Amino acid sequence: MTRAHAAGRQIILGAHFPGVNNTTVWSDPASGSHIAFESFRRFAQSAERGFFDFLFLAEGLRLREQRGVIHDLDVVGRPDTLPVLSGLAAVTAHLGLAGTINATYNEPYEVARQFATLDHLSAGRAAWNVVTTSDAFTGENFRRAGYLPHDQRYSRAQEFLDVARLFWDSWPDPRIEPGRVSYTGTQFDVAGYPGVPRPPQGHPVIFQAGDSAAGRDFAARNADAVFTRHGTPEAGRAFYADVKSRAQAHGRDPENLKVLPGVTFVIGDTDEDARERAAAIRAQQVSGQTAILLLEHVWNRDLSGYDPDGPLPDIEPDLSETTVFQGRARQIDDRAAEAARLRALAREKNLTLRQTVIETQSRQTFVGSPETVAEALIDAVGTRVCDGFILVPHITPAGLEPFVERVVPLLQERGALRTEYPANATLRDLLGLPYPGEAPA
Amino acid sequence: MTFTLAAGLGVADDHPGAAAHDPGRLLDPGYWLGAVQLAERAGFDLVTLHDRFGPGRLPRLDTSLLASWLAARTAVIGLLPTMTTTHTEPFHVGKNLATLDHISGGRAGWLVAVSRTEEESRLVGRGHPALAVPGASTERPGAGAERSGAGDRETSGDLDGELQAEAADAIEVARRLWDSWEDDAEIRDTATGRFIDRDKVHYIDFTGRYFSVKGPSITPRPPQGQPVVVIPADSPAALRTAVDGADAVLIPAPVVSDDPAAALGEVREAQRRHHRRGAALKVFADVPVRLAGQAGQPGTPEALAEQVTDLASLGYDGVRFLLSDQDADLPLLAESIPGLLRARGLRPDAALHPGGTLRTRLGLRPAVNRYGPEADGDELTGEDSRLHRSSPGTGEQS
């Protein structure tokens, strides 16, 4: 029943080129460069062979630090998002190209111009994941030296996007004169003509990734897709229902806001084989040192004196605002509760410090044989956990290939994934999204 | 000797050239690829891609992104997009160019521009950051702190002087960011679990009059170490910025046609007066091309080759052909000029062209990392300046 119901729903697939995180097992002999363009080309071309909808790049504008020094255990360093996507536009033909660009440390005229350019270079395949940052740590790399009060983050994002849209809309045809943009708000006071005519998609596809109420509202009002962390069925369904109803409250067709969790996967010959692989990968992802550093996010203390193979720290977390880590997007809201949860789990399962972190921090979302994984994906989309997935492989650049070779054909057999790209499709076309200015379907 | 041939593309901002009849094709990267491949096959060393921050009459793609697209489809030619320093973030500019260098395998350069117009300023809405300085100096980042920026040089307080001092600071920041990762910073040491050696990744701690940047870059060091920085010397302040931070300077066409020897002398004198660090500036002459004859009096390829030969014998290191009607003139230029210059002994056979990076093609030395073990304190390009510091501006061009 579920399956028959699911057959009607197409799965949206995104491929996240993994970067600065502890998901990537850089010590694996198969792990290649995270910088060389060849890695990006290979990753993108794998995604295109698997009929994915888009490739996704994250961004962090300052190297992460912990205990006041640059974090050195994970993959560090990445090329600039928009130039990489522009290069990929030249070596792919169908794949959407989604990039994270910060609305705090940029100005709307330039970002509008850059995304319009990317959309022209790719014949309509550009997407922008709009993020904001409020920390002064990152601001130290920028002119505006950056402190943006937390409560202004989304008002800046909103005005930023509003201004960008004015620039995208104001020169509909290169054969006629452009129209003049004029905007005065609390964040921006700009006027003038765009240099790039209207992008092929009208506007690039807009992504949003924040999880707060303000973030969800921003997505409901503005975004075409939400990148969420809620990949489990229960949390996913609740999130899905929440943002879709928020979209409706803004007068939008909820089908035009796609919910896409970032997920990890391990594929084996059998479910048992996959489970064994998954456990081995988790052990590689979380070394003793990484376990200590991840636990410091909960305790907010220097835990370097603790033995990773011993018990969890007996001291209580430091609940102050000042943190021992900087430059990370994810922060834990209630450190005391999280510490209590970890302790209970460690007691119940008799786990060491490192085992506890492995158990809680890096469990893969989909683990199994190709058939098991394909069924799970179809089921999740069919039961409205999400509209699709953004896959985060643990090996760069080849980590997508097992999925493309073994799971994609099964999704196609079951009618859940396209078997060819439609001719001349933009990313909006692939995702089934309306064009700006179109009447709702 | 290395004599450089460059083609200036997209210069027809408001020129009623052929592109004006079908402006939509300027948005097609295939159009630009055709032009760049023509130049590449003819053996040109580099193309510059003209851009301005504000609008022109013709549509214009962001050339830094266009260059990255072109990098993935070309093999040997240098790619120099225009990037302004006035309304942009030096941190973004630095990693953008580093990434172009990664994508192109070491063929990136930067045509530095400033945004002088009120129109451009209004598009960003912050006012001219440089002009805001004198009245608001106590509120600028780094006020009261020790300054390390070239922006501390004396400016006459005029717009161009301030914008060029800011440009010099932006170049300095980009250069430090490019060096902020040593080449061997990524170690992947499984024994200690470390991906990088953090002692080989450096804060740049730049504090200047217009901005401060902490660093390090988020992008590891580009293949060339230092992508090639080129500045049009279209004002005395711009020449000063070139002396402070560029690898090469472009002499504007009217100056070249007026008195090319005097212009060359001025560049050399400026390097002496301002104590140019490192290798001497390469000096390229801008030479307008009108071969097809749509506008005004067309020239002949032979006359153009004569002019270039004269410039070379004066001591110029290269020329940039400005193609205000590139659709008509680039094919004519590409088929005639390389052979004519070869016949005059100015260019080697295409087969003998040095491969490798743009720096190599231009005869620039490999860039030594200022933060690395071989650094000798020269902060411009990290080159071994001990050989050259005694006589800046001379002795380099052999």
Side-chain angles (χ1 to χ4, degrees):
Chain A
M1 295 152 296
T2 302
R3 219 162 282 166
H5 173 73
R9 294 253 293 162
Q10 291 284 300
I11 294 178
I12 294 168
L13 287 180
H16 187 334
F17 186 97
V20 178
N21 56 45
N22 71 297
T23 306
T24 300
V25 181
W26 53 257
S27 56
D28 191 298
S31 171
S33 172
H34 287 254
I35 305 303
F37 184 65
E38 196 48 43
S39 288
F40 289 86
R41 183 207 306 261
R42 179 169 170 188
F43 187 82
Q45 290 176 345
S46 297
E48 202 158 63
R49 261 202 322 282
F51 300 96
F52 276 53
D53 293 275
F54 62 90
L55 172 145
F56 184 93
L57 296 181
E59 185 181 61
L61 294 171
R62 183 157 171 193
L63 299 187
R64 300 180 303 169
E65 294 184 4
Q66 197 143 342
R67 300 182 209 129
V69 291
I70 292 167
H71 183 57
D72 60 358
L73 301 181
D74 296 340
V75 169
V76 195
R78 58 177 119 220
D80 197 10
T81 300
L82 286 163
V84 168
L85 294 179
S86 300
L88 290 176
V91 297
T92 55
H94 311 285
L95 191 67
L97 300 164
T100 303
I101 293 293
N102 197 300
T104 309
Y105 302 113
N106 284 287
E107 298 296 332
Y109 170 75
E110 187 176 22
V111 169
R113 184 174 188 266
Q114 289 168 325
F115 272 105
T117 296
L118 178 62
D119 210 43
H120 283 292
L121 291 175
S122 62
R125 297 187 278 137
W128 172 21
N129 180 34
V130 184
V131 298
T132 56
T133 313
S134 62
D135 64 292
F137 174 76
T138 305
E140 285 187 308
N141 281 334
F142 296 99
R143 275 180 194 274
R144 61 171 283 132
Y147 192 75
L148 181 69
H150 194 81
D151 60 0
Q152 284 184 29
R153 291 197 312 161
Y154 282 103
S155 56
R156 181 170 173 97
Q158 185 64 56
E159 287 194 29
F160 198 111
L161 191 54
D162 289 344
V163 177
R165 283 173 170 155
L166 291 175
F167 281 114
W168 291 326
D169 288 343
S170 61
W171 196 358
D173 183 335
R175 290 164 302 183
I176 62 169
E177 297 284 313
R180 189 166 193 275
V181 169
S182 180
Y183 179 92
T184 304
T186 63
Q187 296 283 332
F188 304 104
D189 177 13
V190 304
Y193 296 92
V196 187
R198 186 175 174 82
Q201 295 187 95
H203 303 164
V205 171
I206 301 297
F207 278 70
Q208 190 277 341
D211 198 35
S212 65
R216 291 179 185 202
D217 255 335
F218 179 84
R221 188 168 160 194
N222 299 290
D224 300 300
V226 191
F227 185 166
T228 158
R229 305 198 293 272
H230 302 293
T232 63
E234 306 73 34
R237 249 175 241 121
F239 179 82
Y240 188 96
D242 179 61
V243 293
K244 296 268 180 172
S245 71
R246 286 174 195 257
Q248 212 150 14
H250 282 284
R252 297 179 61 197
D253 178 348
E255 283 299 308
N256 293 336
L257 175 60
K258 307 298 185 188
V259 175
L260 305 173
V263 299
T264 52
F265 61 92
V266 179
I267 296 154
D269 293 336
T270 62
D271 289 353
E272 183 53 32
D273 176 41
R275 275 194 292 274
E276 282 169 20
R277 284 169 188 253
I281 291 163
R282 287 199 299 274
Q284 286 178 298
Q285 286 168 330
V286 184
S287 66
Q289 296 118 301
T290 297
I292 296 276
L293 288 174
L294 288 173
L295 214 56
E296 287 181 353
H297 295 181
V298 180
W299 260 260
N300 194 30
R301 289 180 185 281
D302 182 347
L303 301 179
S304 55
Y306 286 83
D307 177 2
D309 298 319
L312 287 176
D314 42 12
I315 52 168
E316 290 308 309
D318 177 347
L319 303 180
S320 60
E321 288 285 305
T322 313
T323 56
V324 297
F325 48 90
Q326 292 188 286
R328 287 178 190 259
R330 289 175 71 164
Q331 307 220 346
I332 292 157
D333 296 329
D334 186 343
R335 296 192 199 112
E338 179 66 5
R341 187 177 79 86
L342 295 181
R343 281 179 176 144
L345 182 76
R347 250 194 324 273
E348 181 198 330
K349 297 198 174 178
N350 193 26
L351 302 175
T352 65
L353 185 160
R354 180 174 170 225
Q355 287 167 336
T356 308
V357 174
I358 290 173
E359 184 74 14
T360 55
Q361 299 266 330
S362 63
R363 187 157 284 284
Q364 296 92 344
T365 328
F366 294 100
V367 177
S369 67
E371 292 76 15
T372 299
V373 170
E375 286 303 328
L377 298 176
I378 291 170
D379 191 58
V381 170
T383 59
R384 312 271 162 172
V385 173
C386 56
D387 295 309
F389 308 89
I390 299 177
L391 302 183
V392 190
H394 68 276
I395 297 286
T396 305
L400 211 54
E401 287 162 22
F403 186 92
V404 168
E405 283 154 18
R406 303 182 71 181
V407 180
V408 161
L410 300 177
L411 297 177
Q412 291 173 318
E413 269 174 32
R414 287 157 172 76
L417 183 67
R418 63 180 67 86
T419 53
E420 59 183 333
Y421 284 109
N424 303 317
T426 67
L427 180 55
R428 285 188 181 278
D429 295 334
L430 292 183
L431 298 176
L433 293 167
Y435 284 73
E438 275 184 359
Chain B
M1 81 176 257
T2 308
F3 188 81
T4 298
L5 285 190
L9 302 182
V11 296
D13 190 20
D14 294 305
H15 189 277
H21 302 303
D22 181 13
R25 106 199 133 103
L26 298 176
L27 301 170
D28 173 6
Y31 166 78
W32 296 100
L33 180 63
V36 173
Q37 285 180 331
L38 208 53
E40 185 173 52
R41 282 195 293 266
F44 280 68
D45 298 297
L46 63 94
V47 293
T48 62
L49 301 167
H50 183 74
D51 197 3
R52 64 192 297 260
F53 202 65
R57 265 188 43 201
L58 296 175
R60 199 175 275 298
L61 297 173
D62 177 298
T63 50
S64 72
L65 301 184
L66 174 60
S68 283
W69 192 97
L70 293 166
R73 294 278 196 99
T74 52
V76 294
I77 197 164
L79 298 164
L80 280 76
T82 309
M83 296 189 84
T84 176
T85 58
T86 307
H87 299 296
T88 54
E89 289 284 358
F91 190 84
H92 291 320
V93 171
K95 66 182 161 62
N96 185 323
L97 288 160
T99 302
L100 175 61
D101 208 44
H102 282 290
I103 297 173
S104 63
R107 296 184 283 128
W110 176 11
L111 188 63
V112 179
V114 297
S115 297
R116 295 187 170 101
T117 67
E118 175 65 17
E119 182 185 36
E120 289 158 289
S121 181
R122 289 288 291 127
L123 285 165
V124 178
R126 286 188 304 215
H128 271 302
L131 277 190
V133 169
S137 58
T138 55
E139 294 168 33
R140 300 301 295 180
E146 186 185 345
R147 285 175 179 159
S148 53
D152 271 354
R153 76 191 191 194
E154 291 293 315
T155 60
S156 49
D158 64 307
L159 177 61
D160 194 50
E162 292 290 344
L163 295 180
Q164 289 293 345
E166 183 186 41
D169 277 4
I171 295 166
E172 173 70 14
V173 165
R175 289 195 180 282
R176 289 191 197 181
L177 288 170
W178 294 334
D179 278 352
S180 64
W181 290 59
E182 294 183 43
D183 287 328
D184 54 354
E186 185 179 312
I187 52 173
R188 298 193 184 218
D189 184 42
T190 47
T192 59
R194 292 177 305 150
F195 183 77
I196 53 162
D197 178 350
R198 66 164 73 101
D199 292 338
K200 293 185 173 178
V201 179
H202 305 275
Y203 296 105
I204 69 164
D205 284 318
F206 180 89
T207 304
R209 200 192 312 188
Y210 311 102
F211 43 75
S212 54
V213 178
K214 177 75 181 172
S217 180
I218 58 167
T219 305
R221 193 158 190 255
Q224 293 187 97
Q226 296 279 321
V228 176
V229 178
V230 180
I231 299 184
D234 49 10
S235 72
L239 175 56
R240 174 66 199 279
T241 296
V243 169
D244 284 348
D247 298 296
V249 67
L250 290 160
I251 306 301
V255 179
V256 171
S257 69
D258 183 40
D259 190 344
L264 199 56
E266 267 181 50
V267 174
R268 289 178 174 158
E269 170 55 25
Q271 293 181 86
R272 255 191 302 276
R273 194 166 58 244
H274 301 302
H275 310 291
R276 159 89 176 176
R277 297 167 296 180
L281 277 170
K282 300 279 183 192
V283 186
F284 302 149
D286 269 345
V287 175
V289 174
R290 261 182 227 98
L291 296 173
Q294 287 92 333
Q297 193 68 22
T300 64
E302 288 73 18
L304 204 54
E306 264 325 299
Q307 187 190 357
V308 170
T309 308
D310 289 346
L311 291 168
S313 59
L314 282 174
Y316 279 85
D317 300 296
V319 292
R320 177 176 69 159
F321 294 111
L322 292 176
L323 294 146
S324 53
D325 187 354
Q326 74 189 39
D327 297 333
D329 283 329
L330 182 59
L332 297 174
L333 184 75
E335 84 191 20
S336 61
I337 279 291
L340 289 168
L341 295 183
R342 199 155 49 242
R344 287 163 170 77
L346 260 188
R347 293 281 289 182
D349 282 328
L352 300 177
H353 282 179
T357 68
L358 179 58
R359 291 186 71 87
T360 307
R361 274 184 92 99
L362 300 185
L364 295 165
R365 286 182 186 72
V368 173
N369 193 324
R370 78 199 58 205
Y371 300 114
E374 291 159 41
D376 73 341
D378 170 24
E379 291 177 1
L380 179 56
T381 61
E383 290 177 348
D384 183 358
S385 57
R386 285 165 295 190
L387 300 172
H388 311 287
R389 192 169 279 157
S390 55
S391 56
T394 60
E396 173 65 10
Q397 329 294 338
S398 52

